[in-house]
Amino acid sequence: MQRRNRQSVMQEELSLHQLVEIDRNHIWHPYASMVTPLPVYPVARAHGTTLVLEDGRSLVDGMSSWWAAIHGYNVPEINRAIETQLAKMAHVMFGGLTHRPAVDLAQRLVALTPASLTKVFLCDSGSVSVEVAIKMAIQYWYANGRPEKHRLLTIRSGYHGDTFGTMAVCDPETGMHHKFSGVLNRHFFADAPRSPFDGPWDEADAASLASLLEENHDVIAALILEPVVQGAGGMRFYSPEYLNRARALCDRYDVLLIFDEIATGFGRTGKLLATHHTAIEPDIICLGKALTGGYMTLAATVTTDKVARGLSADGSGVLMHGPTFMGNPVACAAACASIDLLLSSPWQERVRRIEAKLQEGLEPCRSFEQVKAVRVLGAIGVVELHHPVKMEMIQRRFVEEGVWVRPFGRLVYLIPPFVIDDASIEKLTIAVHRVIQECD
């Protein structure tokens, strides 16, 4: 009887109240407590740059679902690609088999990444992409008779994911994982670069990195960093010249260079990849988030022939990583459609327009005492406060203003879809100005 009642409940259309209550009692949301969870806002559907809530309210999306939905929502071209692939095959194991969507995607990724990057490993998510990059680097040195080179070097204020390997290279203070510091692998942290993206380069910025490499290169497998834009570790923008110095130092001390482009890839900074703000090439690059246009979870780790062959230098090395849903055909089809749509669109013009509107709309926030800094780069706008926001209050106020903005810590930021119009950007920046003005 109890089983039949449960089945009956599951088949009934839930009321909005029931939906929220079941969610609150049973579903764990990102970075949330199950004891005192923050309110959530049920979404019924989405289209373009609009999220429509279950209660009928419409919100302008300022977050691109955490960097991912660069084309907005319910995109006809990506919908068609997914529907076409579903009619053929939803999934097949990738061990011993392959398929056209994966091959097509690999071709596209090799074409858009720096020339030396020619080997593609398809992953489940951004964090897994970084885990695979770390494995590649450590195994490369192991296979080449240097097993002592198994530690990593990174820069402070960075963020690379929430799995154990990635947590260990997130900033130990701002990377959200300090509670695990006692069980994480110990790596090296250089000072975060301070030279601004569009400002003069200070050679002292590379001093900490140079010193750590000089003293510890014998045990360092790779340097990993987010090029130009540090995301969840602080939303900082720094000089591309730092990347040039990093490449030169890695070459001098025989250390691999990994670029984590999970957030910055696919146009967000004004270049197709943040890597393209310089002429240098990393040894490994991680891509994700916007890879499928925000439709499905998929990421990629792309590396050089040198690294790929080096993994097997001892004659027995295979990369011991193989996710069950690796190379999922539907996700690969979505990614191909998203990349094609991006490259056939005036995305550079759109990002420049968004940048100009964000600069214009967020600039007035500088006058508030509670604001520490305002910065804009490409389709990223950040207002940094002196103190952390009161999350429940500020989230409610943004929804009341008709926008979806999800701050964290001291950062209120906007990363809208590239297809957003001027009126919607203005609505977002007015809401940010108004709500921040109310913060104590």
Side-chain angles (χ1 to χ4, degrees):
M1 182 68 177
Q2 187 178 11
R3 181 179 177 85
R4 286 200 299 273
N5 287 341
R6 284 183 177 179
Q7 290 176 335
S8 175
V9 167
M10 287 191 294
Q11 291 170 359
E12 293 174 1
E13 180 75 19
L14 296 174
S15 69
L16 179 55
H17 174 74
Q18 289 173 317
L19 188 153
V20 171
E21 281 301 302
I22 292 172
D23 185 289
R24 183 178 180 86
N25 291 330
H26 300 290
I27 300 179
W28 216 322
H29 285 264
Y31 313 111
S33 165
M34 284 300 292
V35 178
T36 56
L38 293 171
V40 294
Y41 298 85
V43 179
R45 60 189 183 278
H47 56 85
T49 59
T50 301
L51 306 180
V52 182
L53 302 184
E54 286 278 355
D55 63 12
R57 287 182 290 179
S58 293
L59 308 179
V60 174
D61 175 37
M63 305 306 296
S64 297
S65 285
W66 274 337
W67 309 81
I70 55 175
H71 309 293
Y73 301 90
N74 204 5
V75 182
E77 294 87 347
I78 304 179
N79 289 355
R80 282 196 297 271
I82 289 173
E83 291 164 1
T84 299
Q85 183 56 44
L86 274 174
K88 298 176 182 178
M89 170 176 60
H91 183 64
V92 66
M93 65 182 288
F94 213 50
L97 300 172
T98 193
H99 47 77
R100 288 185 182 276
V103 174
D104 290 343
L105 176 56
Q107 282 187 306
R108 286 163 171 78
L109 294 179
V110 169
L112 63 85
T113 52
S116 61
L117 300 172
T118 59
K119 309 300 181 185
V120 179
F121 192 99
L122 298 172
C123 311
D124 303 68
S125 68
S127 291
V128 174
S129 172
V130 176
E131 293 278 359
V132 170
I134 292 171
K135 275 188 173 181
M136 285 180 176
I138 293 173
Q139 188 171 332
Y140 173 84
W141 292 113
Y142 183 89
N144 282 274
R146 301 289 304 279
E148 71 279 4
K149 287 174 73 70
H150 65 273
R151 297 180 70 182
L152 301 169
L153 171 61
T154 188
I155 57 178
R156 292 192 177 275
S157 298
Y159 174 82
H160 299 282
D162 296 333
T163 53
F164 259 74
T166 61
M167 286 195 297
V169 287
C170 293
D171 188 288
E173 297 174 4
T174 66
M176 302 185 288
H177 304 125
H178 62 277
K179 291 181 180 178
F180 297 92
S181 60
V183 294
L184 294 175
N185 289 332
R186 300 297 177 129
H187 298 302
F188 299 101
F189 288 83
D191 295 339
R194 303 184 66 84
S195 297
F197 175 81
D198 55 356
W201 166 250
D202 182 354
E203 197 63 48
D205 262 7
S208 172
L209 184 67
S211 177
L212 284 168
L213 281 168
E214 181 180 12
E215 295 170 7
N216 303 286
H217 62 273
D218 285 342
V219 297
I220 294 174
L223 165 63
I224 180 170
L225 52 79
E226 301 156 281
V228 175
V229 175
Q230 293 185 293
M235 299 297 288
R236 301 176 67 255
F237 311 150
Y238 64 89
S239 172
E241 189 59 37
Y242 188 87
L243 305 179
N244 294 329
R245 297 299 189 275
R247 177 73 274 179
L249 287 166
C250 285
D251 290 343
R252 181 189 305 172
Y253 292 110
D254 212 13
V255 168
L256 297 179
L257 178 59
I258 303 170
F259 280 179
D260 177 352
E261 290 241 27
I262 304 298
T264 53
F266 304 102
R268 182 59 64 178
T269 68
K271 299 286 188 181
L272 189 60
L273 300 175
T275 306
H276 295 158
H277 286 286
T278 73
I280 62 108
E281 300 185 1
D283 299 293
I284 306 173
I285 195 168
C286 302
L287 301 169
K289 288 193 183 291
L291 177 57
T292 65
Y295 267 69
M296 306 182 72
T297 180
L298 183 69
T301 309
V302 190
T303 191
T304 63
D305 185 69
K306 173 187 173 182
V307 171
R309 289 182 179 274
L311 287 171
S312 300
D314 60 359
S316 62
V318 295
L319 184 59
M320 293 304 294
H321 201 92
T324 300
F325 289 95
M326 181 178 180
N328 175 263
V330 179
C332 289
C336 289
S338 178
I339 291 171
D340 291 349
L341 181 58
L342 178 65
L343 297 181
S344 65
S345 73
W347 66 269
Q348 291 166 304
E349 177 186 331
R350 288 172 174 171
V351 171
R352 284 194 295 268
R353 176 180 55 82
I354 293 170
E355 182 178 53
K357 294 297 290 184
L358 289 176
Q359 287 172 335
E360 176 187 351
L362 296 178
E363 184 62 27
C365 294
R366 289 186 191 274
S367 64
F368 298 147
E369 289 184 4
Q370 58 268 45
V371 171
K372 180 179 180 180
V374 175
R375 47 189 178 267
V376 175
L377 176 62
I380 310 168
V382 183
V383 179
E384 182 178 357
L385 307 180
H386 288 287
H387 304 289
V389 301
K390 297 176 181 177
M391 193 60 176
E392 183 172 352
M393 180 279 292
I394 202 168
Q395 191 71 91
R396 173 179 53 78
R397 283 291 297 117
F398 278 127
V399 171
E400 290 171 352
E401 291 291 328
V403 300
W404 182 247
V405 179
R406 181 75 172 175
F408 69 90
R410 297 181 294 110
L411 303 170
V412 180
Y413 66 108
L414 298 174
I415 42 174
F418 298 167
V419 295
I420 194 169
D421 60 30
D422 288 354
S424 296
I425 299 174
E426 186 174 357
K427 185 168 185 176
L428 285 168
T429 57
I430 288 173
V432 168
H433 184 272
R434 187 174 293 159
V435 173
I436 286 178
Q437 191 172 25
E438 297 170 3
C439 293
D440 12 73

